[in-house]
Amino acid sequence: MKKLFLTALFALAASAAAAPFKFVALGDMPYKLPDDYARFEALIADVNKLNPAFTIHVGDIKSGSTPCSDENFQKVKDEFGLFQNPLIYTPGDNEWTDCHREKAGKFDPLERLGKIREMFFKEQGDRSFGQKPITLTRQPSLIENSRWAQGGVIFSTIHVVGSNNGMERNIASVGEYFARNAANLEWIKATFTEAKEKNAPAVVIAFQADLFYGSPVLLTDVGLRDTVTTLATEAKAYGKPVLLIQGDSHTLVIDHPLTEAGANTFLGQTAASPALRNVTRLQVMGEADVGAVEVTVDTSTPSVFSFKPVYTGK
């Protein structure tokens, strides 16, 4: 009887772990400040009505032409607290890389990066944002990188941003890039290692930068090539469904742009490199298009992921 009871208990636990769930992805908002604060807060209210397991914000909490001030950072951090369920955030380039611009306040980008880490990550510790925070696994060498699991699926964020991933501002920024790039690649590999060890049915990785340009894929920025190559290698070896979530380009796109060759897809080589059909890219809307995407995760289906746009008042 005891053996039968344990068998039934394990079966019940497996069934519970495999139950479908939903999460929300959004990014590149609030953008035009202060006008978009109200729009963003209205969207948050709609997200709360959906009651997702959590929400992922893929960065750019302001435009590249609005001040990178502590006050603007704090305002959005306060808005993150309006999410009733967990909110996981990964930075975008507008928060620090592009802060040297005159309209952005002519800040030192590396100083602003330090401020973002202090305000949004060091103060949070291993907790997500939201009124019901969850505990995240943080990367010791890059505190903004996080990992967690839901329904057996492994989720991860990596700090990869537009503007060539912050590579080419000056000598100091190049040094910052190489350290962060190495940590990101390590975190990608560790994410897939955990997924394989736990026999996870799927992997989700979220970041800010649009890694893909044109059709077929034309990779142009050298600061992003290592990321694409590593994602391609790890996703191919993993073999199960992978979802990449990013923002940066402000239009809703759901496609399969990652090829087996990864970063070696420029200079006309894409035709010889087949697309990785197990990898789906979700590019969220943003900027003037204030909305989000509700993602349903059902590991009993072959594709695992399905998508529904969410717009305020619709």
Side-chain angles (χ1 to χ4, degrees):
M1 284 293 293
K2 184 177 179 181
K3 184 176 181 181
L4 288 174
F5 174 76
L6 289 174
T7 301
L9 187 63
F10 290 147
L12 182 62
S15 175
F21 65 92
K22 297 181 180 182
F23 72 93
V24 167
L26 51 81
D28 296 280
M29 63 185 70
Y31 217 75
K32 184 181 179 182
L33 307 182
D35 300 6
D36 282 350
Y37 288 139
R39 300 175 71 196
F40 185 47
E41 290 170 12
L43 179 64
I44 293 172
D46 285 342
V47 169
N48 287 338
K49 292 175 185 176
L50 296 173
N51 194 31
F54 53 83
T55 297
I56 301 174
H57 192 302
V58 293
D60 275 10
I61 57 175
K62 52 173 284 300
S63 79
S65 300
T66 52
C68 299
S69 64
D70 291 3
E71 292 77 14
N72 283 341
F73 291 168
Q74 185 63 51
K75 173 64 176 177
V76 178
K77 185 179 179 182
D78 292 342
E79 289 179 314
F80 284 175
L82 299 177
F83 284 91
Q84 293 176 354
N85 292 338
L87 182 283
I88 298 92
Y89 160 68
T90 185
D93 57 349
N94 289 350
E95 285 91 301
W96 65 277
T97 304
D98 300 333
C99 290
H100 67 288
R101 296 173 181 173
E102 184 169 354
K103 288 185 177 181
K106 300 180 71 173
F107 287 90
D108 173 4
L110 296 185
E111 185 275 332
R112 289 291 84 187
L113 174 58
K115 177 57 69 172
I116 284 289
R117 284 177 171 152
E118 176 187 334
M119 290 182 65
F120 288 86
F121 300 101
K122 290 180 181 178
E123 293 180 5
Q124 288 296 118
D126 61 358
R127 294 176 299 114
S128 72
F129 291 97
Q131 296 168 20
K132 301 174 185 175
I134 58 173
T135 299
L136 305 168
T137 298
R138 296 288 192 187
Q139 186 177 22
S141 58
L142 208 62
I143 192 173
E144 60 267 32
N145 284 352
S146 62
R147 191 159 63 237
W148 69 102
Q150 180 78 29
V153 177
I154 304 299
F155 290 80
S156 177
T157 64
I158 51 173
H159 188 175
V160 177
V161 297
S163 296
N164 200 16
N165 207 5
M167 182 179 185
E168 53 196 20
R169 290 275 174 255
N170 50 43
I171 295 298
S173 67
V174 170
E176 185 283 328
Y177 161 79
F178 279 110
R180 180 168 45 83
N181 185 59
N184 282 329
L185 302 184
E186 176 186 319
W187 200 239
I188 293 171
K189 294 173 184 177
T191 296
F192 280 101
T193 295
E194 179 176 336
K196 285 182 277 191
E197 288 176 348
K198 294 185 176 179
N199 196 27
V203 166
V204 180
I205 299 180
F207 46 91
Q208 191 261 336
D210 182 357
L211 301 179
F212 309 103
Y213 300 86
S215 181
V217 179
L218 297 175
L219 188 66
T220 57
D221 288 339
V222 294
L224 300 173
R225 291 179 187 174
D226 286 348
T227 301
V228 181
T229 301
T230 302
L231 286 171
T233 299
E234 294 295 326
K236 181 180 179 181
Y238 177 61
K240 299 177 185 179
V242 176
L243 176 62
L244 306 178
I245 305 175
Q246 43 102 166
D248 201 15
S249 291
H250 307 156
T251 57
L252 177 60
V253 176
I254 301 168
D255 59 3
H256 303 275
L258 188 63
T259 70
E260 292 184 6
N264 298 318
T265 56
F266 54 99
L267 302 178
Q269 298 301 311
T270 52
S273 181
L276 288 169
R277 303 306 299 180
N278 66 311
V279 180
T280 301
R281 183 265 295 258
L282 166 61
Q283 177 177 283
V284 298
M285 66 284 273
E287 193 182 17
D289 195 11
V290 178
V293 180
E294 182 183 54
V295 183
T296 298
V297 182
D298 186 348
T299 57
S300 69
T301 63
S303 59
V304 176
F305 306 105
S306 58
F307 309 92
K308 178 184 177 182
V310 177
Y311 292 99
T312 298
K314 296 183 181 179

